[in-house]
Amino acid sequence: VNSPLVLVSDDPEALSKACRIINGIPAIQAVNETMKTYITILPVLKNFGSTLILTQAHPQDELDELMNTAKTLGIESYQICYIPAKSQ
């Protein structure tokens, strides 16, 4: 079946194991969408070419920090997809 796969976890080890057994490159979404969690997941993006999906709103300075850390690790900007939910 050709369909997108999104792995949802905060555990970099679990995400790495899942990436090794699937046939393709998954997107990744953290359960606990904090900058600390995102930064711990970045090496998985680097190792497997995955995309990180952010769905909660974050201050611009936090997003800048995340992008700078990603760039330092060699992660391309297109691997981080920021889609904050609209406020009601």
Side-chain angles (χ1 to χ4, degrees):
V1 175
N2 279 336
S3 60
L5 175 65
V6 178
L7 301 176
V8 181
S9 176
D10 292 339
D11 183 346
E13 186 177 335
L15 291 167
S16 292
K17 286 180 181 179
C19 286
R20 282 188 204 98
I21 63 172
I22 65 168
N23 185 20
I25 300 172
I28 294 174
Q29 184 175 0
V31 175
N32 178 12
E33 293 197 43
T34 65
M35 286 299 140
K36 181 180 178 183
T37 300
Y38 295 143
I39 289 172
T40 63
I41 291 173
L42 288 178
V44 179
L45 272 66
K46 173 65 178 168
N47 292 338
F48 298 97
S50 299
T51 298
L52 178 62
I53 300 171
L54 289 70
T55 60
Q56 291 185 1
H58 296 281
Q60 187 62 47
D61 61 326
E62 289 182 2
L63 294 170
D64 291 343
E65 177 187 353
L66 177 66
M67 296 305 290
N68 288 334
T69 303
K71 184 177 180 180
T72 300
L73 294 172
I75 297 167
E76 301 292 336
S77 60
Y78 64 81
Q79 288 178 262
I80 299 178
C81 183
Y82 183 50
I83 311 169
K86 292 182 181 179
S87 54
Q88 302 278 333

